[in-house]
Amino acid sequence: MRLAGLVAAGGLGLRLGPGDPKGLRHLAGSSLVVHAVERLAAAGAVTEVVVAAPTSHYAEVVAAVESCVTPVPVRVVSGGVLRQDSVRSMLEALSPEVSHVLVHDAARSLAPTALCEEVAEALAAGHPAVIPVLPVTDTVARVDGEYVIGNVPRDDLRLVQTPQGFVRHLLQRAHDECPPGWEATDDASLVSRLGVAVVTVPGDPRAMKITTPEDFVVAEAWLAAT
């Protein structure tokens, strides 16, 4: 198995307010994309990393990535309008020898290297698609307008995280066969629509998605505690 890491950092982070795209926002002195790349690249099985940058801030992402301390080569490509467009661009930029990929988001920049390695180990064990998940602990209500009309059983519900692992040709096929105009929330949903079973591994709270200013406060606390 030859494994590559893909980091989607093309989001503009509109919910964070005015400023740089999300991947370039700083957390404890380093941008989110730097945190994500360094943790992913440190996974023992990863042999290369590709980052998708917003076209409008391509040079800035290149400069940020050049500051990363990694044991493997890292390069940057221009992302697309949708996340899946960015993933497609990164797949096209991979070395021909790459057989498997870990698809990650800069927004989940604190996902530990150990989590990346656990997903990689499940791929090495023969699973074609692997995602980290966390159990849903809150009560989930179904509503109609302002009124609760019932609760959703949560025993079989999970929160999906990244990095997500795939056999490369399978993920490429999933993107190639995605219907026009169909926007996927993650790569596992594209693979699932092909009828391929997606296996889960335990996720990690540190792989939280950093989306709002409040999330930065929580992420700072995670960093301070490690």
Side-chain angles (χ1 to χ4, degrees), residues 121-187:
E121 288 170 4
L123 286 175
H127 297 291
V130 185
I131 60 172
V133 299
L134 291 175
V136 176
T137 56
D138 292 334
T139 297
V140 180
R142 180 177 287 109
V143 299
D144 182 4
E146 299 177 353
Y147 298 95
V148 174
I149 59 175
N151 289 335
V152 179
R154 63 191 181 196
D155 291 347
D156 58 353
L157 296 180
R158 297 293 183 270
L159 302 176
V160 178
Q161 300 180 315
T162 67
Q164 300 181 356
F166 305 96
V167 172
R168 178 185 181 177
H169 69 78
L170 171 63
L171 184 59
Q172 186 69 64
R173 178 189 160 206
H175 279 270
D176 290 344
E177 297 184 14
C178 178
W182 198 76
E183 185 173 351
T185 56
D186 70 346
D187 292 279

Side-chain angles (χ1 to χ4, degrees), residues 107-109 161 204-210 215-216 218-219 222:
R108 297 186 186 273
S109 58
Q161 300 180 315
D204 191 297
R206 289 168 289 183
M208 60 177 286
K209 188 174 184 180
I210 300 173
D215 294 333
F216 274 86
V218 177
W222 275 119

Side-chain angles (χ1 to χ4, degrees), residues 39-204:
R39 285 166 173 76
L40 182 61
V46 171
T47 59
E48 62 183 85
V49 174
V50 180
V51 179
T55 301
S56 58
H57 290 73
Y58 178 84
E60 292 93 326
V61 173
V62 169
V65 167
E66 287 177 346
S67 73
C68 291
V69 179
T70 67
V72 300
V74 182
R75 59 186 181 279
V76 181
V77 299
S78 292
V81 176
L82 300 177
R83 181 184 182 280
Q84 62 213 59
D85 298 327
S86 294
V87 173
R88 199 174 291 121
S89 295
M90 291 188 286
L91 285 170
E92 293 171 354
L94 289 174
S95 302
E97 299 82 8
V98 169
S99 60
H100 294 71
V101 293
L102 295 180
V103 185
H104 198 19
D105 291 322
R108 297 186 186 273
S109 58
L110 298 189
T113 298
L115 179 61
C116 304
E117 291 176 333
E118 187 164 3
V119 175
E121 288 170 4
L123 286 175
H127 297 291
V130 185
I131 60 172
V133 299
L134 291 175
V136 176
T137 56
D138 292 334
T139 297
V140 180
R142 180 177 287 109
V143 299
D144 182 4
E146 299 177 353
Y147 298 95
V148 174
I149 59 175
N151 289 335
V152 179
R154 63 191 181 196
D155 291 347
D156 58 353
L157 296 180
R158 297 293 183 270
L159 302 176
V160 178
Q161 300 180 315
T162 67
Q164 300 181 356
F166 305 96
V167 172
R168 178 185 181 177
H169 69 78
L170 171 63
L171 184 59
Q172 186 69 64
R173 178 189 160 206
H175 279 270
D176 290 344
E177 297 184 14
C178 178
W182 198 76
E183 185 173 351
T185 56
D186 70 346
D187 292 279
S189 60
L190 285 175
V191 170
S192 291
R193 68 173 296 278
L194 299 179
V196 176
V198 178
V199 72
T200 65
V201 298
D204 191 297

